[in-house]
Amino acid sequence: MARAWQRMLSGRRLDLLDPSPLDIEIEDIAHGLARVARWNGQTKGDNAFSVAQHCVLVEAIFAHGNTENTNPQRLAALLHDAAEYVVGDMISPFKAALGLDYKVFENRLMAAIHIRFGLPAQSEMALTAAIKQADKMAAFLEATQLAGFEVAEAEKFFGRPKGLSGAGSQQFHALVPLKPIDAAKLYLNRFEDLV
């Protein structure tokens, strides 16, 4: 039988077919996500825009202007792509080509991650939809600022973000890809703030 586990720098061995929350560490997630490039690395700058930075951006958009969100909800937003620390960031067209089995696999891993950090295995539909909306807004910003999309093209795929002005909004309008070590620190700091 082929090996179906991934050894992490923490020493944990994560079984990919039957992931245990006990084998998941936030440091492994931050380290992995900081080294996974969004847009398959097709972005401007000396460094790739990492999934770690993307997750911090999504959480910030999710929280912007909505003080009613709880820390657990914001944590769910920060962790929304956490499975990619193991499986990488597959672009949406490739996920669609792989079909439903990939989504089942990814959902099983996300459930273990959620349980590890005290969240329900599956988020409520309204929360999932709100995080997905923030994710699309982040994709628009990344596409137009870093991935070479024209505004009209990005609008077609992601919609134009609304409500990203006012106090604290400057972080949405000057995306700068960080070195992996700095992206991991950013992610870990945000995690610590939320827990």
Side-chain angles (χ1 to χ4, degrees):
M1 180 178 206
R3 176 175 68 95
W5 53 267
Q6 169 69 45
R7 181 178 174 79
M8 303 298 163
L9 287 180
S10 66
R12 300 282 188 192
R13 289 184 181 186
L14 181 65
D15 183 333
L16 301 179
L17 299 177
D18 187 22
S20 168
L22 299 175
D23 292 326
I24 296 168
E25 299 293 341
I26 194 61
E27 293 81 7
D28 292 331
I29 292 173
H31 180 85
L33 294 182
R35 285 157 178 76
V36 175
R38 290 275 293 162
W39 307 95
N40 280 345
Q42 298 299 311
T43 55
K44 300 172 186 174
D46 293 336
N47 299 296
F49 191 77
S50 70
V51 174
Q53 276 189 270
H54 165 75
C55 289
V56 171
L57 177 62
V58 169
E59 187 273 328
I61 291 169
F62 176 76
H64 184 73
N66 188 350
T67 57
E68 294 178 18
N69 289 333
T70 65
N71 277 9
Q73 290 171 325
R74 293 174 75 172
L75 180 59
L78 182 70
L79 294 171
H80 82 280
D81 279 340
E84 294 177 9
Y85 89 107
V86 176
V87 298
D89 182 23
M90 287 192 220
I91 58 174
S92 296
F94 190 59
K95 283 181 184 179
L98 288 176
L100 186 60
D101 287 346
Y102 176 80
K103 200 63 182 163
V104 170
F105 170 79
E106 187 178 47
N107 287 342
R108 187 178 305 132
L109 182 53
M110 283 303 299
I113 291 167
H114 275 208
I115 291 167
R116 169 63 177 93
F117 300 112
L119 300 172
Q122 289 185 309
S123 296
E124 294 178 8
M125 288 178 53
L127 176 59
T128 299
I131 293 170
K132 186 63 181 169
Q133 182 61 34
D135 190 33
K136 288 176 72 173
M137 293 168 83
F140 176 91
L141 296 173
E142 294 166 14
T144 55
Q145 292 182 43
L146 301 171
F149 281 61
E150 296 294 327
V151 170
E153 183 182 21
E155 279 181 344
K156 181 176 145 186
F157 292 110
F158 311 112
R160 184 183 281 269
K162 293 178 177 56
L164 293 183
S165 59
S169 68
Q170 65 276 8
Q171 65 187 319
F172 308 134
H173 304 293
L175 302 181
V176 177
L178 299 174
K179 293 179 183 176
I181 193 166
D182 295 328
K185 285 179 189 174
L186 177 72
Y187 190 89
L188 284 172
N189 289 340
R190 195 67 205 119
F191 176 84
E192 291 299 327
D193 289 345
L194 295 171
V195 296

